[in-house]
Amino acid sequence: MVSQILAVVIFAVMFLLIITEKFERHIVTLFCGLLTLVVVFGICMRSIPAITRTLNIHQIFVRDFWYHAGETAAPSSGINWATIIFIAGMMIMVEGMARTGFFRWLCIQIANLVHYKVIPIFITFMVMSAILAMFIDSITVLLFLAAVTMELAQVLNFEPVPVILSEIFCANLGGSATMCGDPPNIIIGTSLGYSFGDFITNTGLIAGISLVVTIIYFYFCFRKELLTNCQKQISAADYPDPKKVITDKNGFITSCIIFFCSVLLLITHAQTGFTVAFIGLAAALATFLTSTRYISELMKKLDYKTLLFFIGLFIVVGGLEETGILEIAANLIRTASGGNVKLMTVTIIWISAIASAFVDNIPFAATMIPIIKNLSITQNTSLSVLAWALSMGTDIGGSATPIGASANVVGISVAARHGHPIGWREYCTKVVPAALFVLLISTICILIRYF
């Protein structure tokens, strides 16, 4: 009983400190993770096996961690090292692409193809944001896309905030379509053993339908605002030249090859047996081998804080799992739904969305995974249906407020640095309706398809 109370207190304190942002996220989760290991597992439970299961280091040295012949991998608990290694590998690959000017080239090239007309740029950048976020972390997508948007806004004299808000939402929506798009999906996929193909044929279908609705909504929402100030005639000579943003032509080609090979491996990993941990490590090694002069530079740009944040988070959630708190939470959801599987599924979608709107959707997804596993077993319900409900709820709910997802924070920060601050009221009045539309579509699609 004491261990359960302490595990809940540590978890609640961690969430509160993350929300208040008084301390850096990785420091908060690592400190709370250390408290869980020492106080909950060590002093209260006196359980070395609980510590071993939560640290989960032995997982890395098992063959199935890197390669498995079956269709799905065994569900993981404790620290999800597959998530850590995959995200680290993708970070290194993406930094290698950014070094060569790939992202600025892509954005400016697309703007050039639509002849630098504001409304076509607005629509194509939404689509590009969604597509890129299917394969690259949405944080990275927003970092470069928002920066290029600001650059084009200065040249073409249009208001950049509507474009950035649309890009943020579409990045989160595109991230919901695949296993490697948004961090919550990476955690869900690696923890429950789902493949890229599983996501693209389930959440991907919902995201595709929702993207069409989203583009229509944002078009009518922002059309007048975008066209208000962009009447000034711009000389073609003032347009950015896509070729000039490529800083390393050979590196550009090799980084593109590495990216497409990584995407191919992700799409086929259920057939080849290569796990996402293997793919992430392979992408990082390939980047290092083709950029030997820049290894130290790439390592310095690796986001260690995010990786440490994940490690601490998994430990704290492991404390809730080992003490039985997550089983209690699963029972509460089961009781609230009266054992009705449809109502339970809808509850997971909307509770996940509401919670993820106000707290970071990464820790929420990590917390919910053991809960839906428990619900699946006790209710004899398809785990995959609950997983798709959790995925759509956390990804879309996370886009509803400025603090719901890391991509939101990045996009808003870029806008603020360029003199265009985005307040809560402005953000929510435009984005919340879009989130509600997509959540409604997700609910209807899941109920129709699986029930």
Side-chain angles (χ1 to χ4, degrees):
M1 184 66 177
V2 175
S3 61
Q4 290 181 327
I5 294 173
L6 285 173
V8 171
V9 170
I10 291 172
F11 179 78
V13 169
M14 180 191 76
F15 251 114
L16 182 63
L17 291 175
I18 289 175
I19 294 170
T20 57
E21 297 182 343
K22 290 185 177 180
F23 302 96
E24 292 191 78
R25 294 192 313 168
H26 71 288
I27 294 176
V28 172
T29 60
L30 286 175
F31 178 72
C32 291
L34 182 62
L35 282 180
T36 300
L37 293 174
V38 175
V39 179
V40 178
F41 295 155
I43 298 175
C44 295
M45 295 176 63
R46 296 180 182 178
S47 174
I48 298 299
I51 296 175
T52 304
R53 285 193 298 268
T54 302
L55 293 179
N56 206 17
I57 296 174
H58 65 279
Q59 181 190 37
I60 301 174
F61 303 99
V62 177
R63 192 199 68 163
D64 283 355
F65 182 80
W66 305 102
Y67 174 83
H68 60 84
E71 292 185 359
T72 58
S76 174
S77 59
I79 298 178
N80 191 327
W81 291 107
T83 295
I84 305 296
I85 293 173
F86 175 72
I87 292 177
M90 292 296 104
M91 284 178 176
I92 291 170
M93 181 192 73
V94 167
E95 286 298 338
M97 296 170 71
R99 183 190 63 79
T100 66
F102 173 83
F103 294 105
R104 290 193 70 242
W105 170 84
L106 180 63
C107 295
I108 294 174
Q109 183 67 44
I110 289 177
N112 184 47
L113 289 174
V114 296
H115 306 293
Y116 294 96
K117 294 181 179 178
V118 175
I119 294 300
I121 286 176
F122 173 60
I123 294 173
T124 54
F125 271 37
M126 278 195 286
V127 175
M128 181 168 59
S129 179
I131 293 174
L132 283 175
M134 290 172 64
F135 306 103
I136 299 173
D137 180 65
S138 54
I139 299 171
T140 302
V141 172
L142 257 299
L143 191 62
F144 291 98
L145 199 56
V148 175
T149 298
M150 299 304 306
E151 180 182 345
L152 291 175
Q154 291 178 347
V155 174
L156 303 178
N157 196 36
F158 66 83
E159 175 58 44
V161 171
V163 184
I164 290 177
L165 289 178
S166 304
E167 289 166 354
I168 289 172
F169 189 86
C170 288
N172 288 318
L173 180 58
S176 72
T178 66
M179 193 193 76
C180 58
D182 261 4
N185 282 18
I186 298 172
I187 297 172
I188 292 170
T190 54
S191 297
L192 303 180
Y194 293 128
S195 69
F196 186 96
D198 292 328
F199 273 91
I200 199 70
T201 54
N202 290 279
T203 59
L205 180 62
I206 299 172
I209 297 170
S210 300
L211 181 61
V212 175
V213 175
T214 298
I215 290 173
I216 294 172
Y217 165 76
F218 281 126
Y219 172 77
F220 286 105
C221 185
F222 291 129
R223 182 175 180 272
K224 290 183 180 179
E225 190 174 347
L226 285 168
L227 293 176
T228 300
N229 300 319
C230 63
Q231 304 301 322
K232 184 175 71 173
Q233 294 294 323
I234 307 295
S235 170
D238 294 330
Y239 295 153
D241 184 355
K243 294 180 181 179
K244 291 183 179 179
V245 302
I246 300 175
T247 57
D248 180 353
K249 291 184 179 180
N250 291 331
F252 178 87
I253 295 171
T254 55
S255 64
C256 287
I257 293 172
I258 293 170
F259 172 68
F260 286 117
C261 288
S262 299
V263 170
L264 182 62
L265 284 173
L266 283 168
I267 293 172
T268 61
H269 78 94
Q271 290 74 37
T272 62
F274 294 122
T275 65
V276 292
F278 175 88
I279 296 169
L281 182 61
L285 291 176
T287 301
F288 286 148
L289 289 172
T290 56
S291 309
T292 52
R293 290 164 46 192
Y294 305 98
I295 290 178
S296 61
E297 179 184 336
L298 293 173
M299 290 301 294
K300 287 178 182 177
K301 290 186 177 181
L302 183 62
D303 191 353
Y304 295 101
K305 293 181 179 180
T306 295
L307 300 178
L308 293 172
F309 164 74
F310 275 110
I311 291 172
L313 169 64
F314 284 130
I315 294 173
V316 175
V317 173
L320 297 178
E321 188 171 8
E322 290 289 338
T323 56
I325 294 299
L326 296 183
E327 186 175 350
I328 295 173
N331 289 332
L332 289 175
I333 294 176
R334 182 167 55 250
T335 302
S337 62
N340 186 308
V341 178
K342 289 183 181 180
L343 181 57
M344 187 187 304
T345 304
V346 173
T347 300
I348 289 173
I349 294 175
W350 288 89
I351 285 182
S352 299
I354 294 169
S356 296
F358 298 100
V359 298
D360 195 310
N361 59 1
I362 297 171
F364 184 82
T367 307
M368 283 295 294
I369 287 169
I371 293 177
I372 66 172
K373 284 164 64 177
N374 183 281
L375 287 171
S376 173
I377 295 170
T378 56
Q379 293 297 115
N380 194 27
T381 307
S382 170
L383 177 59
S384 61
V385 176
L386 300 182
W388 311 143
L390 175 62
S391 171
M392 295 307 300
T394 51
D395 290 336
I396 305 307
S399 66
T401 65
I403 61 171
S406 300
N408 310 7
V409 178
V410 170
I412 291 171
S413 298
V414 172
R417 284 201 305 269
H418 288 82
H420 294 272
I422 302 173
W424 268 72
R425 183 177 179 180
E426 181 179 12
Y427 184 100
C428 292
T429 53
K430 302 298 184 182
V431 177
V432 167
L436 292 175
F437 283 138
V438 175
L439 288 169
L440 184 60
I441 292 170
S442 302
T443 303
I444 294 171
C445 287
I446 288 175
L447 290 178
I448 291 175
R449 182 171 180 182
Y450 304 109
F451 298 100

